Amino acid sequence: MQLKDKVALITGAASGIGKEMAIEYAKQGAKIVIADLALDAASKTADEIRQAGGEAFAVAMDVSSEEQVDKGVADAVAHFGGIDILISNAGIQIISPVVDYAFDQWKKMLAIHMDGAFLTTRACMRAMIEKGRGGAIIYMGSVHSHEGSPFKSAYVAAKHGLVGLAKVVAKEGAKDGIRANVICPGFVRTPLVDKQIPEQAAQLNISEEDVIKKVMLKDTIDGEFTTTQDVAQTAVFLAAFPSNALSGQSIVVSHGWHMQ
Ligand code: NAD
């Protein structure tokens, strides 16, 4: 077990990639805080982990709310005695050409992806520094932390922003043994991507099959989707890494789409 007795707070862990990371972390011995907007689904994930013999509890958290983030992190610290790992993973997608992108939608995207990363980082860093046992912070970036794609201006801007935030947190956190890194997955079949396939088909006037083959997977080395398990394994590796040698970096997990 690579994460025995570590406490991990994972945002957006009621679904998709976050859920898989929560289940994998629990298998590796971590105690899990499932922080999600969707409390019912978060509680179900926590139940699943407990039924499999792990430790988990759910907190309701809108990551763009300062009050809810600070309360959720305080509840997590009270419940498990500290936080060792933060995975800032909650995210949504809103696609539209720049010229049609509504300002309130832009602000919503930046609030969830950027404010959410900042607020959870600040609260968890404070808790990590107070306990004095170091920590690992992982941001869920994307290949779109390094590449651009049409219709995804807010998403691409926010995912690039996470790389900048991780670099600063790595520098500020080093003296307290806190590392910060970004995972950059390619396309993963989750509800977030399933929703985009028909939307992109309509936007581009092509079939859904062509969205998958000619848009989403066209630059991979083997035409394969990345899996939630691929991302979860990378998240275990980053959290378990034993020194500050690996900090302030981003790792692309994408079947070769965007080689650095
Ligand atoms: P998903 O839709 O399956 O899960 C996202 C979760 O985030 C949901 O449980 C949702 O309730 C939660 N959430 C949404 N808004 C929230 C908020 N304001 N506060 C708290 N929780 C909130 O999506 P996913 O595909 O698992 O995406 C997870 C992360 O991975 C996102 O940051 C996404 O950008 C990133 N990502 C996904 C892919 C992909 O192809 N699926 C690729 C690269 C990066």
Side-chain angles (χ1 to χ4, degrees), residues 15 17 36-37 61-63 89 140-141 155 159 186 188 190-191 193:
S15 171
I17 295 171
D36 204 290
L37 199 57
M61 184 189 286
D62 177 345
V63 295
N89 165 78
M140 197 50 60
Y155 189 83
K159 292 299 189 191
V188 182
T190 66
V193 161

Side-chain angles (χ1 to χ4, degrees), residues 43-216:
S43 299
K44 275 191 196 131
T45 304
D47 285 347
E48 261 181 60
I49 290 173
R50 282 194 296 268
Q51 275 159 21
E55 283 189 65
F57 89 108
V59 294
M61 184 189 286
D62 177 345
V63 295
S64 64
S65 156
E66 181 175 22
E67 195 189 339
Q68 288 185 33
V69 169
D70 287 348
K71 183 175 182 318
V73 171
D75 289 351
V77 170
H79 190 91
F80 282 136
I83 292 177
D84 302 292
I85 302 160
L86 162 67
I87 309 184
S88 171
N89 165 78
I92 62 164
Q93 178 62 281
I94 300 172
I95 62 167
S96 170
V98 172
V99 290
D100 297 327
Y101 218 110
F103 189 35
D104 62 333
Q105 302 285 277
W106 168 272
K107 283 193 277 198
K108 182 177 179 183
M109 286 292 285
L110 274 277
I112 294 174
H113 289 273
M114 290 300 322
D115 297 0
F118 162 70
L119 291 170
T120 51
T121 298
R122 189 180 66 177
C124 290
M125 264 185 108
R126 286 174 176 166
M128 287 169 182
I129 291 167
E130 196 183 320
K131 292 288 166 190
R133 57 190 198 209
I137 297 178
I138 297 169
Y139 299 102
M140 197 50 60
S142 161
V143 168
H144 287 112
S145 296
H146 299 282
E147 288 277 349
S149 289
F151 316 133
K152 296 188 175 174
S153 53
Y155 189 83
V156 170
K159 292 299 189 191
H160 275 66
L162 293 177
V163 175
L165 179 62
K167 288 177 181 175
V168 174
V169 172
K171 290 196 174 188
E172 291 185 9
K175 65 182 187 319
D176 293 298
I178 298 169
R179 296 176 296 104
N181 290 290
V182 187
I183 301 177
C184 300
F187 282 100
V188 182
R189 282 309 284 265
T190 66
L192 181 138
V193 161
D194 286 340
K195 177 175 162 283
Q196 274 175 68
I197 294 170
E199 288 174 357
Q200 291 231 35
Q203 220 31 279
L204 295 164
N205 201 19
I206 59 176
S207 69
E208 294 189 13
E209 202 188 338
D210 279 351
V211 170
I212 293 174
K213 280 195 185 147
K214 296 184 181 165
V215 179
M216 293 184 164

